[in-house]
Amino acid sequence: MSNGSESTSLENHFLIAMPQMQDPYFANTVTYVWKHNAEGALGIVINKPLRACIADIFDELDIVCSIEDNPFHHQHVLAGGPVERDKGFILHDSGLSWESSIAVTENVAICTSKTILQDIAAGTGPQNYLIALGCAGWDAGQLEQEIIANSWITAPAKTDVIFSRDHHSKLNAASAILGIDLNKISPAAGHS
C-alpha cells in the first residue's frame, strides 16, 4: 500500500475493528473507507449510533419534514469519526447527485450538502443513505501501520451493510463477508 497505486487502495472497503482494538472510539466498529491514497485515508464509522435522531438534525437546521408520520424520529444519526465532529457527512446511493456529492463507486457517493438533507426531509432524496457527524482520518501510511499491527481487518464493502438501519448487526455482517466470526477471535491475538 505504500506505493499509493489503485490496486492497493482500500477505497470502498470496510475496516473492521479487531477485538484487541485499543482505541475506545473505534472498538467494535465498522468504518467505510471512501478515500484512500498516498496522502492518507478518510472513512465514516457506520455502526455507532448517537442518541440524536435525524429529526433533531432537521430541527437544528430549520429543515421542515413534509413526509407524513415523520419517520426521522426513529432514524439515528451516527458518530462518523473523531474528526470534524460538527460537520455532517451523508453516505448515499448514487442514483441522484447533489452539488457536493463525490462518487466513491458507481453505487455509493458521499455528500456534505444541506440540500440533500432538505431533499431527504421532502421525500425526494436518495433511496438509501446514512447521516453521520464527523469522519475518521489517517495520515499517509498510518492506516497501513494500524492494519499491520492487527488493529483492523479489511473486507470489500457491500451496500446492503452500509445502508442497513440495523447498526448493531453491521460488525457481524461485515466480518461475515470474510467468513469470520469476531466472537471466536481472542482479544489477545498476537502477531505472526
Side-chain angles (χ1 to χ4, degrees), residues 3-188:
N3 66 8
S5 72
E6 293 272 335
S7 63
T8 58
S9 174
L10 291 173
E11 284 180 13
N12 196 42
H13 278 73
F14 292 135
L15 296 177
I16 303 162
M18 291 294 288
Q20 69 270 16
M21 171 64 78
Q22 295 295 312
D23 185 327
Y25 191 94
F26 290 106
N28 301 307
T29 62
V30 177
T31 302
Y32 176 72
V33 178
W34 60 274
K35 183 175 185 180
H36 184 225
N37 57 33
E39 297 171 15
L42 292 170
I44 301 290
V45 176
I46 63 167
N47 69 326
K48 195 171 182 175
L50 295 168
R51 288 185 183 175
C53 63
I54 294 174
D56 296 332
I57 297 292
F58 291 165
D59 288 346
E60 188 170 318
L61 297 173
D62 295 322
I63 295 173
V64 176
C65 176
S66 58
I67 299 175
E68 193 172 314
D69 297 327
N70 188 341
F72 305 111
H73 289 291
H74 307 290
Q75 295 176 22
H76 287 275
V77 175
L78 302 175
V83 178
E84 298 191 72
R85 290 184 189 196
D86 60 342
K87 186 174 185 179
F89 294 87
I90 301 95
L91 275 175
H92 62 91
D93 54 21
S94 50
L96 299 171
S97 185
W98 285 262
E99 64 267 10
S100 66
S101 289
I102 297 169
V104 180
T105 70
E106 64 181 39
N107 299 317
V108 179
I110 189 162
C111 185
T112 58
S113 165
K114 182 178 178 182
T115 306
I116 192 173
L117 295 175
Q118 292 167 328
D119 288 349
I120 289 169
T124 59
Q127 181 175 356
N128 295 298
Y129 59 87
L130 63 81
I131 299 171
L133 293 177
C135 67
W138 293 266
D139 290 332
Q142 182 183 1
L143 179 57
E144 292 82 352
Q145 289 303 312
E146 290 180 14
I147 291 169
I148 290 168
N150 290 328
S151 294
W152 305 100
I153 55 174
T154 63
K158 291 192 171 193
T159 56
D160 60 328
V161 176
I162 295 170
F163 298 120
S164 169
R165 297 239 168 95
D166 183 1
H167 304 300
H168 299 292
S169 71
K170 288 182 179 182
L171 184 63
N172 289 332
S175 61
I177 293 168
L178 300 172
I180 295 172
D181 181 348
L182 290 178
N183 298 316
K184 294 181 180 180
I185 297 177
S186 169

